[in-house]
Amino acid sequence: MRQARIAMLVILALVLTATVSPERKAVLDALRPKVEARLGPNVEFVVQVLRVENGWAFVMAEPRRKGGKAIDGNQIFGEDFDNMDGLRVDAVLRKRNGRWAVADWAIGATDVWYCDVGPKSLKRDYGC
């Protein structure tokens, strides 16, 4: 079931790629280096949530390799992967001087750590 859901998200992401806004691209491009430092190069995101409000952004996304290939969390995290909620990336970013910067982020978080970062209204409906 999880693999089918991920496959549908990948297909949806590929369909929507042509309609990506410059703001969305800027947010994801600011996040990508942090994620690639942990997961390796060539990461793209299947975005589940991306909200922008008053200079803040909230992202929930599944990282994939370019072209939609799955990333093996067990290979990267070993035994710790069993205690993670998959590879989902949650992030809060802030725009300053016209550029997005990561305020905080996590991979595979099992709690709602992000409630204390940035405006709570940005994360409404996601446990805050």
Side-chain angles (χ1 to χ4, degrees), residues 1-54:
M1 182 66 123
R2 180 177 165 92
Q3 290 178 344
R5 183 175 67 114
I6 291 172
M8 286 189 297
L9 290 171
V10 169
I11 291 168
L12 181 60
L14 293 174
V15 169
L16 295 176
T17 299
T19 61
V20 173
S21 74
E23 189 83 289
R24 175 186 169 107
K25 181 178 181 332
V27 168
L28 297 177
D29 285 349
L31 176 58
R32 187 172 288 105
K34 300 275 189 193
V35 176
E36 287 183 336
R38 188 66 183 104
L39 299 181
N42 299 317
V43 168
E44 62 186 17
F45 298 105
V46 178
V47 176
Q48 297 161 327
V49 176
L50 195 156
R51 289 185 176 168
V52 175
E53 180 180 297
N54 298 322

Side-chain angles (χ1 to χ4, degrees), residues 66-122:
K66 297 263 184 198
K69 184 179 177 191
I71 298 171
D72 185 352
N74 285 307
Q75 184 179 31
I76 296 167
F77 294 100
E79 291 179 13
D80 291 335
F81 191 60
D82 291 337
N83 298 317
M84 296 170 64
D85 188 14
L87 291 176
R88 189 190 71 235
V89 174
D90 302 327
V92 178
L93 296 88
R94 187 160 192 195
K95 192 173 193 177
R96 289 193 172 142
N97 300 321
R99 297 186 60 127
W100 287 102
V102 177
D104 206 352
W105 71 289
I107 295 174
T110 58
D111 61 1
V112 290
W113 61 267
Y114 46 76
C115 288
D116 296 326
V117 183
K120 284 193 188 319
S121 62
L122 189 64

